[in-house]
Amino acid sequence: MKKTIVVYGSSTGVCEEIANTIGSKLGAEVIDVADFTADIIGAYDNLILGTSTWGAGELQDNWYDGVEVLKKADLSGKTVAIFGCGDSESYSDTFCGAMKEIYDAAEGANILHGVSADDYTYDDSEAVVDGNFVGLALDDVNENDKTEMRINNWIEQIKPAL
């Protein structure tokens, strides 16, 4: 596996915990998006980017600056995987929608395919394209019994490309 970093934005700690789980399973460094810079992008081959979703599908607060860092960076030759945390019950119409903003900002990178939306219960999500989420969608609030399995399956899916 090439040099990999997990970058997360978390307000309540859930996305941070998931980022640390992913980082541990991959043997990758994990940092808060508040510390994300163009130099970090330049130092890594693989970027695993995670955000929680707030309100009407909005990014976690620290990711607004992180998205600007992504947009200004040269992402050619970089591989990007995305994961997101959301609440499919209380925010069923915007579930994990913030992943789409990161997906759009990572244009120019090799963005890895996300997971099928079939195994999820929600009404709508900006983060679904052609029946798949743009990354790994997790609902650790209502479906925490599926989180570990979803992470493991996703890691097996993306690991060959890392």
Side-chain angles (χ1 to χ4, degrees):
M1 186 173 77
K2 294 179 182 171
K3 197 168 179 188
T4 302
I5 191 165
V6 179
V7 182
Y8 69 89
S10 186
S11 295
T12 64
V14 172
C15 198
E16 178 180 10
E17 184 179 323
I18 289 167
N20 284 320
T21 298
I22 292 168
S24 175
K25 289 176 182 286
L26 290 172
E29 184 178 352
V30 179
I31 66 163
D32 189 306
V33 70
D35 300 321
F36 191 47
T37 65
D39 289 340
I40 288 172
I41 292 172
Y44 290 87
D45 301 299
N46 303 318
L47 308 171
I48 300 176
L49 310 175
T51 185
S52 49
T53 297
W54 291 91
E58 298 158 14
L59 283 167
Q60 189 273 342
D61 288 342
N62 294 335
W63 259 112
Y64 287 101
D65 289 338
V67 161
E68 292 306 313
V69 170
L70 277 175
K71 286 179 179 178
K72 292 176 183 171
D74 177 8
L75 297 176
S76 58
K78 304 293 180 183
T79 297
V80 170
I82 302 167
F83 69 96
C85 305
D87 181 339
S88 64
E89 197 170 291
S90 297
Y91 297 96
S92 182
D93 58 341
T94 59
F95 178 60
C96 287
M99 287 194 302
K100 181 69 162 68
E101 288 194 54
I102 294 173
Y103 176 84
D104 291 343
E107 184 178 346
N110 172 30
I111 303 173
L112 301 181
H113 292 289
V115 300
S116 171
D118 292 344
D119 188 37
Y120 294 82
T121 304
Y122 66 99
D123 291 323
D124 194 22
S125 177
E126 291 287 322
V128 174
V129 176
D130 297 328
N132 291 316
F133 283 99
V134 296
L136 171 64
L138 297 167
D139 182 350
D140 207 51
V141 175
N142 303 296
E143 296 182 338
N144 64 337
D145 57 319
K146 296 180 180 181
T147 297
E148 189 74 20
M149 174 199 63
R150 285 177 171 161
I151 291 171
N152 290 337
N153 291 344
W154 181 67
I155 286 175
E156 288 308 308
Q157 175 188 323
I158 67 170
K159 206 172 196 178
L162 299 178

